[in-house]
Amino acid sequence: MVHLKHLEWPFFGDPHRQLATELDAWCAQYLHAGHGADIDAECRSLVKALGEAGWLKHAIAGVALGGAADTIDTRAICLLRETLARYNGLADFAFAMQGLGSGAISLAGTAAQRERYLPRVARGEALAAFALSEPEAGSDVAAMQCSAVEDGDSYVLNGEKTWISNGGIADFYVLFARTGEAPGSRGISAFIVDAGLPGFEIAERIEVIAPHPLARLKFSNCRVAKSQMIGAPGEGFKVAMRTLDVFRTSVAAASLGFARRALQEGLQQARERKMFGATLADLPLTQAKLADMACTVDSSALLVYRAAWQRDQGQNVTREAAMAKLMATEGAQRVIDAAVQLFGGRGVKSGEMVESLYREIRALRIYEGASEVQQLIIGRDLLKSV
Ligand SMILES: Cc1cc2nc3c(=O)[nH]c(=O)nc-3n(C[C@H](O)[C@H](O)[C@H](O)COP(=O)(O)OP(=O)(O)OC[C@H]3O[C@@H](n4cnc5c(N)ncnc54)[C@H](O)[C@@H]3O)c2cc1C
């Protein structure tokens, strides 16, 4: 199958090839494209199904805790996201949030934290969220104001978080707050905050163009036990960046999945649509469009799996992950736009696959570092290198 052809690339081992092939077959059998009206219920049921089928084992690290391996396998996560996104955006989201929301615990949690949370994440029994952004601190993470003040055996949280995926349905949130050891990014710590703690409220549910559970969170004198801190005081920013190093590449992988689906849909439409006594595919301008789409898909795939492979070799991937995210998200937007164009009026009709991809892709150019932030990361890294 053409969408599995890249599995022959040398970035992958045989277990990766097997994983992607089996997942593709599972998706074809179990995932339908549309989202139901109740996004929360659909998300919960997708997490349960992904857990029961064993795919969430790849979202955590620790074989003894129900994980597929003792370390996070970036290539496996990227293959999972690419494949899920090709079938169903919400299924990709459900998988991604289990990984992003628990990633800090896998990477830097204590044994007790790992035992308490990770097995339930892997089984699909606990929903995870990652709470970094604030109303006044999005791209500028260091402007964070949400505070955590030490008091006896607890920290007391005050402030807000916004745009939090799984907000309102998550069982726990990995939350970053200012503890003040130093100014800026060096005075931030990471905590695990259970849903339902006194002083923690879902202040607003946020509706977006591609529906996903999303919320603004408010903390008013909310007490979190000291044992819920991940890593050392003041190390929270580092923990967040380590987590994003994995998941930023996986955002690129999800974009790649959306782009592949758009190319697949565009090809089918070009072959089937009759016009001018031939088909849309017979027109040279269509062939040029399809060629551009295919080149973008393959160049994104190469960048995604280079970054994933490099991270799995234990190398720094700050620049490569930023390149993958920038090129794959921006490229997917262009590929999907071209697919909408190939569909003509049907391309903008609600319920068409390309119409939903068009809405689905947009936020990926903004979250986990907007494209401009990725450009800055790449440019600064180039200037640092000799
Ligand atoms: C659907 C969705 C889900 C999300 N999920 C989560 C989540 O689970 N957890 C979480 O913590 N956050 C989440 N976010 C928040 C997301 O990470 C932020 O929206 C993002 O970091 C941008 O922050 P902002 O919205 O405050 O925009 P701003 O920081 O105000 O940026 C606005 C724009 O400014 C431009 N810009 C930024 N920096 C520069 C620069 N240096 N130079 C030039 N231009 C620049 C970019 O075009 C950017 O889009 C989510 C967002 C969305 C839309």
Side-chain angles (χ1 to χ4, degrees):
M1 271 181 282
V2 70
H3 51 263
L4 299 178
K5 195 98 183 83
H6 64 305
L7 294 176
E8 292 164 17
W9 290 353
F11 293 121
F12 305 110
D14 284 339
H16 294 124
R17 297 186 177 102
Q18 189 180 342
L19 172 71
T21 310
E22 288 175 3
L23 175 63
D24 186 64
W26 183 84
C27 289
Q29 189 171 355
Y30 294 107
L31 294 183
H32 58 95
H35 299 160
D38 185 343
I39 286 294
D40 289 2
E42 187 141 347
C43 218
R44 282 195 192 96
S45 101
L46 280 166
V47 170
K48 190 165 172 279
L50 290 166
E52 282 171 2
W55 307 120
L56 293 176
K57 285 171 190 279
H58 299 273
I60 68 153
V63 173
L65 305 168
D70 279 330
T71 51
I72 286 184
D73 181 336
T74 324
R75 287 165 292 172
I77 287 182
C78 288
L79 285 169
L80 275 145
R81 290 203 62 183
E82 179 194 337
T83 310
L84 291 168
R86 187 155 44 75
Y87 283 91
N88 180 316
L90 201 61
D92 163 60
F93 171 88
F95 174 83
M97 287 319 302
Q98 291 300 90
L100 178 67
S102 69
I105 305 175
S106 280
L107 292 167
T110 62
Q113 290 167 351
R114 291 162 53 80
E115 273 160 31
R116 180 161 173 218
Y117 292 96
L118 296 182
R120 289 187 292 139
V121 169
R123 291 196 298 265
E125 292 167 7
L127 272 72
F130 180 83
L132 182 68
S133 306
E134 296 184 3
E136 301 303 325
S139 306
D140 184 6
V141 179
M144 180 181 295
Q145 290 170 9
C146 182
S147 65
V149 176
E150 199 174 348
D151 183 30
D153 57 2
S154 317
Y155 278 87
V156 181
L157 293 177
N158 277 292
E160 288 194 356
K161 293 284 165 187
T162 194
W163 306 118
I164 306 310
S165 299
N166 271 353
I169 64 166
D171 294 285
F172 69 91
Y173 298 73
V174 166
L175 174 129
F176 301 85
R178 186 161 291 292
T179 38
E181 291 73 16
S185 61
R186 282 171 299 132
I188 292 169
S189 302
F191 299 89
I192 311 169
V193 180
D194 290 323
L197 279 186
F200 174 8
E201 77 177 280
I202 304 298
E204 177 192 4
R205 292 296 299 265
I206 304 170
E207 289 190 13
V208 284
I209 55 174
H212 297 118
L214 203 63
R216 179 164 59 87
L217 322 177
K218 191 167 178 201
F219 299 91
S220 313
N221 293 323
C222 172
R223 278 186 177 271
V224 180
K226 274 186 176 169
S227 58
Q228 294 291 83
M229 183 182 276
I230 306 175
E235 297 279 304
F237 188 76
K238 270 194 208 156
V239 169
M241 294 305 120
R242 278 179 68 197
T243 312
L244 289 176
D245 260 356
V246 178
F247 288 95
R248 196 166 269 162
T249 307
S250 84
V251 175
S255 309
L256 173 61
F258 291 140
R260 272 198 207 284
R261 181 61 183 260
L263 176 56
Q264 191 183 318
E265 297 283 328
L267 274 168
Q268 191 179 335
Q269 171 70 1
R271 285 190 186 114
E272 288 173 1
R273 177 71 175 159
K274 304 266 184 295
M275 60 171 74
F276 304 117
T279 65
L280 180 57
D282 292 315
L283 305 172
L285 286 178
T286 304
Q287 292 164 17
K289 197 182 261 54
L290 292 169
D292 283 347
M293 292 163 82
C295 289
T296 305
V297 165
D298 271 17
S299 50
S300 299
L302 284 162
L303 286 172
V304 166
Y305 291 108
R306 174 187 62 170
W309 172 83
Q310 199 165 312
R311 188 189 170 277
D312 289 341
Q313 308 312 302
Q315 297 171 22
N316 183 296
V317 288
T318 305
R319 188 200 303 182
E320 290 75 12
M323 285 180 165
K325 181 171 188 276
L326 176 66
M327 298 302 283
T329 55
E330 296 287 333
Q333 183 84 65
R334 290 195 303 277
V335 170
I336 292 166
D337 189 62
V340 168
Q341 196 72 9
L342 286 169
F343 271 76
R346 264 183 69 198
V348 291
K349 183 170 171 244
S350 298
E352 288 287 346
M353 179 46 108
V354 290
E355 179 270 345
S356 84
L357 289 168
Y358 192 77
R359 289 181 290 103
E360 202 75 61
I361 188 59
R362 191 60 186 88
L364 280 69
R365 293 166 56 205
I366 297 170
Y367 61 59
E368 292 192 40
S371 292
E372 292 80 356
V373 173
Q374 308 306 329
Q375 287 175 309
L376 279 183
I377 294 172
I378 299 162
R380 284 185 187 148
D381 197 64
L382 281 170
L383 291 167
K384 255 192 343 206
S385 58
V386 279

